[in-house]
Amino acid sequence: MEKYKLYINGEWVESSSGEYYDDMNPYTGEVFAQVANATEEDVRKAIDAAQAAFPIWREVPPAEKRRLLIRCAEILERRLDEISGILAAETGAAGPFAKFQAMNTPEFFREAASQVFMVSGEIIPADMPGQTGMVWRQPVGVVGSISPWNAALLLAVRAIVFPIAYGNTCVLKTSEASSVAGGVIIAQIFEEAGFPPGVLNVILTGPGRSTMVGDILTSDKRVRRMTFTGSTAVGRRLAVQCAENLKKICLELGGNDPTLILKDADLDLAVNAACFGRFMHQGQVCMNTKRIIVEKSIADEFIERFTAKVKSLKYGDPSEPDTIVGPLINQSQMDKLVAQVEHAIEQGAELKCGGGHQGLVYEPTVLILKEDMDLAHEETFGPVANILIAESDEDALRIANDSDYGLSSGVITQDIGKAIDFAEALESGCCHINDSSLGDDPHAPLGGMKDSGYGKNGMYAIDEFTEIRWVTMQRKPNHYLF
Ligand code: NAD
């Protein structure tokens, strides 16, 4: 049994209490690894290390920062097969999603590497005679990064690479369900690449200790910014705590993302996009299509073809190469999903296929919902396709926007003018025309609106993790009023 430690100040250390927790394999139900369970003292030590490393790291020349980040991408690529295996065993990621993460995550390092020279500034006009006005962009200091288990590797890397590229240092906390893929692996890569100690510190905690970490990171004044990817409930709590300390936080939260299928859609494309958008990683991605909204005149044909495709998806062991739908992450996610589907059926939802489960594997399921059913308004984090039938295209748009969430969306139609109008009207941070809601690019300004949070990543992350300052210089003496 592998045992993993915390990574603080460039060293692998035990928890100050010496405790370990069990990190489970969701498919086999066996212990995957034992992980050091960080205490309050360890979190403070991680902040100490990040704080001490900041003045050193910010002075490292940008080209050297870039070299180190690119080195991380290369190490990750060398370990691609091994890391895909860890993602499958620790987080249940089946082949397509494990590969997607392992192949796409190096690009986040490269994107961040390409931004190191963006920490720049400009000369602005000055009203005062003889004054030079400047805008300086600077790193902020220690950034607290909290990431989820679902896209464990990719989302943990996303939470640290941009802040670090700009000259900040980080304390990363991943989920107890992804301690290795979302924490240990990344620390190993930083260590091998040769980053100075303390630039990245990785805190790992078992069940019941997340709130302690969140409370410290939001309240410790040395942590100057936060970034959180996870549920809306936890994000809201952290936002309130950050507000009390006037600390800015970037929030990437949940979604109930729609993909609209209008009556002139290419149905082959629509079926394939909706199926991929809903079932990738067994529906446990924030941007998965949680609602498929289809116009009435094509609904019967779409539902028949879509259901046939869903029935063909192989589900079960994520380590088998042709498995598409692997296990859910844990029993509590399973209990929640089972209760959501049962409640929808009680409310009159029509079950087209699936609905059963073995262990933590939930069968690919298709439900036809009505707008007034609770499930139409909830995030479903599992392989359940919820279809809603719209009277018209305008009705599809209305249904799509009738949500507290606003992360991503898709609209499938051959009428490009209409697609643009709909993209403009859809209340979501991202919108994909002739594609599903599921899409992520390292440079893209991924982020939501409404209850899906605020703040952006990719090319726009610089606004989250740097400070803009106004600096003036008098070339000749100022004329003071007294
Ligand atoms: P979660 O909110 O339960 O946990 C996310 C992280 O927060 C984990 O590391 C967890 O340990 C930690 N956490 C929990 N309570 C905390 C607290 N009080 N203080 C500090 N940290 C705390 O979410 P999850 O179940 O891990 O992930 C699934 C959710 O994340 C879904 O709602 C999904 O839509 C969302 N998500 C959003 C994005 C995005 O980019 N918008 C990406 C992936 C997942």
Side-chain angles (χ1 to χ4, degrees), residues 23-33 82-94 98 177-178 180-181 317-319 327-329:
D23 183 1
M24 309 302 289
N25 175 321
Y27 182 70
T28 63
E30 289 162 6
V31 178
F32 165 73
E82 173 212 346
I83 291 173
S84 301
I86 291 171
L87 285 163
E90 189 187 31
T91 68
S178 54
V180 181
D317 187 345
S319 65
L328 300 187
I329 191 73

Side-chain angles (χ1 to χ4, degrees), residues 355-367:
H357 58 97
Q358 301 84 36
L360 289 184
V361 178
Y362 199 93
E363 287 171 20
T365 296
V366 178
L367 284 175

Side-chain angles (χ1 to χ4, degrees), residues 161-191:
V161 274
F162 295 112
I164 286 175
Y166 308 139
N168 305 291
T169 55
C170 280
V171 175
L172 169 69
K173 178 229 161 328
T174 181
S175 160
E176 72 220 31
S178 54
S179 303
V180 181
V184 172
I185 295 286
I186 301 165
Q188 288 172 348
I189 289 169
F190 269 69
E191 184 182 39

Side-chain angles (χ1 to χ4, degrees), residues 146-151 155 158 173-176 178 205 210-215 228-235 237-238 241 251-255 284-287 290 329 333 379 381 405 407 446-448 452 457:
I146 303 180
S147 59
W149 48 265
N150 57 345
L155 293 176
R158 189 182 74 178
K173 178 229 161 328
T174 181
S175 160
E176 72 220 31
S178 54
T205 49
S210 302
T211 303
M212 173 274 287
V213 182
D215 289 353
F228 172 78
T229 308
S231 62
T232 295
V234 174
R237 178 193 161 97
L238 294 171
Q241 291 176 331
L251 293 169
E252 302 271 353
L253 308 178
Q284 300 176 118
V285 183
C286 50
M287 300 162 300
K290 316 280 174 21
I329 191 73
Q333 290 288 338
E379 181 181 49
F381 231 48
Y405 293 108
L407 185 56
L446 200 116
S452 295
N457 277 293

Side-chain angles (χ1 to χ4, degrees), residues 20-311:
Y20 279 77
Y21 60 92
D22 290 338
D23 183 1
M24 309 302 289
N25 175 321
Y27 182 70
T28 63
E30 289 162 6
V31 178
F32 165 73
Q34 289 197 307
V35 182
N37 199 358
T39 62
E40 198 173 320
E41 189 184 330
D42 299 318
V43 182
R44 301 261 183 226
K45 278 186 192 157
I47 299 172
D48 293 344
Q51 175 79 351
F54 175 57
I56 299 161
W57 178 240
R58 72 180 293 179
E59 292 305 323
V60 169
E64 172 64 3
K65 290 190 177 90
R66 182 174 58 188
R67 192 191 66 78
L68 288 166
L69 289 162
I70 289 173
R71 179 100 185 89
C72 287
E74 290 162 357
I75 297 167
L76 198 46
E77 272 162 354
R78 192 193 73 221
R79 294 180 61 182
L80 192 140
D81 289 341
E82 173 212 346
I83 291 173
S84 301
I86 291 171
L87 285 163
E90 189 187 31
T91 68
F97 194 61
K99 275 212 190 73
F100 165 78
Q101 273 193 80
M103 285 163 63
N104 205 29
T105 307
E107 300 310 325
F108 277 83
F109 281 106
R110 293 196 176 96
E111 173 59 32
S114 78
Q115 293 188 24
V116 293
F117 284 98
M118 281 170 60
V119 189
S120 58
E122 60 183 323
I123 308 289
I124 57 168
D127 244 357
M128 197 70 75
Q131 185 185 80
T132 299
M134 293 168 278
V135 175
W136 290 3
R137 192 185 277 279
Q138 294 180 331
V140 291
V142 180
V143 174
S145 305
I146 303 180
S147 59
W149 48 265
N150 57 345
L153 174 72
L154 189 148
L155 293 176
V157 166
R158 189 182 74 178
I160 54 145
V161 274
F162 295 112
I164 286 175
Y166 308 139
N168 305 291
T169 55
C170 280
V171 175
L172 169 69
K173 178 229 161 328
T174 181
S175 160
E176 72 220 31
S178 54
S179 303
V180 181
V184 172
I185 295 286
I186 301 165
Q188 288 172 348
I189 289 169
F190 269 69
E191 184 182 39
E192 185 180 338
F195 277 80
V199 172
L200 173 68
N201 304 277
V202 176
I203 285 298
L204 307 163
T205 49
R209 291 211 182 152
S210 302
T211 303
M212 173 274 287
V213 182
D215 289 353
I216 295 177
L217 292 177
T218 52
S219 62
D220 191 311
K221 289 195 183 303
R222 295 171 300 166
V223 179
R224 300 292 292 276
R225 293 281 164 93
M226 293 279 299
T227 177
F228 172 78
T229 308
S231 62
T232 295
V234 174
R236 201 184 297 280
R237 178 193 161 97
L238 294 171
V240 169
Q241 291 176 331
C242 281
E244 276 170 4
N245 295 289
L246 297 179
K247 193 175 291 190
K248 196 170 161 186
I249 181 167
C250 177
L251 293 169
E252 302 271 353
L253 308 178
N256 194 8
D257 299 351
T259 291
L260 285 64
I261 299 167
L262 305 188
K263 62 174 180 289
D264 65 350
D266 172 338
L267 269 197
D268 287 334
L269 169 75
V271 166
N272 291 335
C275 189
F276 179 79
R278 170 69 279 203
F279 291 99
M280 179 69 144
H281 196 33
Q282 44 275 13
Q284 300 176 118
V285 183
C286 50
M287 300 162 300
N288 275 131
T289 294
K290 316 280 174 21
R291 295 176 294 155
I292 299 167
I293 304 172
V294 54
E295 259 193 271
K296 194 174 181 177
S297 57
I298 54 159
D300 287 347
E301 191 182 349
F302 172 79
I303 290 167
E304 191 189 323
R305 288 168 64 177
F306 179 74
T307 306
K309 181 160 175 105
V310 173
K311 282 183 179 166

